[in-house]
Amino acid sequence: MSSTSLRTDRVRVIVLSKRKEGITKEEFSNHWLGVHGPLAMESKIFTEKILKYEQLHVNDAANSLLSSLGLTTGDWDGVGLFEAKSFDDIIELFKSEDFVKGPLGSGPHGDCPNFVSAAPQDFIVIPLDVATFFDK
C-alpha cells in the first residue's frame, strides 16, 4: 500500500458564491463564463500567479437528484477554483489592484457586483492543501 501526502508544489483556494439578488441562475452562469472569465484571462497578475482557474457551475438537476437521495446539498450557484504555487501567490493576487479596485473585484469598477451577491455569507473563501490519490 503506497502512502499519499499533501502536495508541496501546489495549493488551491475555492470560492463558493451565490448570485446577486434579481438575476437568474442562467444570467449568473452566462455572465461568469462569458464576461468574468475572460476578464481574468486579461489580467497580467492573474495569469502570472494562478496556474489553474476553473469555474464550477452548480448543476441544479444533479443537485436535486443528490438531495432526493438524502444527501445534504448546498444552495451555492458556483465555485471558483484557483490553483497556485503558494498561498502567498494567491494572497498577492487577491491584494492586487485588479482585485481590490480593478475589473476583477467588488469595488466600483469591478465586475463582481454585476453578478455575485455582496452579502458576506454568500461569498466564502476556503484555502486548501491538496493530496491527489488518482487523476485520470
Side-chain angles (χ1 to χ4, degrees):
M1 182 171 182
S2 66
S3 173
T4 300
S5 60
L6 295 174
R7 291 178 68 168
T8 58
D9 64 329
R10 301 276 174 108
V11 297
R12 293 182 185 159
V13 167
I14 59 171
V15 178
L16 290 75
S17 58
K18 295 182 182 180
R19 67 185 179 270
K20 81 173 191 174
E21 195 170 318
I23 69 168
T24 67
K25 179 78 174 277
E26 183 178 12
E27 290 169 327
F28 169 87
S29 194
N30 288 340
H31 187 93
W32 191 22
L33 189 61
V35 177
H36 198 76
L39 282 174
M41 298 298 89
E42 292 173 6
S43 167
K44 183 178 179 194
I45 191 166
F46 191 96
T47 57
E48 285 176 357
K49 298 296 180 185
I50 299 302
L51 301 173
K52 177 192 265 187
Y53 170 56
E54 292 182 332
Q55 294 180 356
L56 309 171
H57 298 247
V58 174
N59 182 304
D60 288 332
N63 204 31
S64 293
L65 178 59
L66 292 168
S67 182
S68 74
L69 296 173
L71 298 170
T72 302
T73 61
D75 62 349
W76 300 100
D77 294 307
V79 179
L81 182 145
F82 302 84
E83 186 171 282
K85 290 180 183 177
S86 69
F87 288 118
D88 288 341
D89 282 349
I90 293 174
I91 290 167
E92 188 175 336
L93 170 67
F94 287 172
K95 289 170 62 176
S96 74
E97 189 79 11
D98 279 359
F99 261 76
V100 176
K101 296 180 183 175
L104 296 176
S106 56
H109 303 291
D111 184 52
C112 286
N114 294 324
F115 70 109
V116 176
S117 171
Q121 70 273 15
D122 292 344
F123 192 82
I124 307 294
V125 179
I126 304 171
L128 303 164
D129 290 318
V130 179
T132 302
F133 285 85
F134 69 90
D135 186 1
K136 293 184 180 185

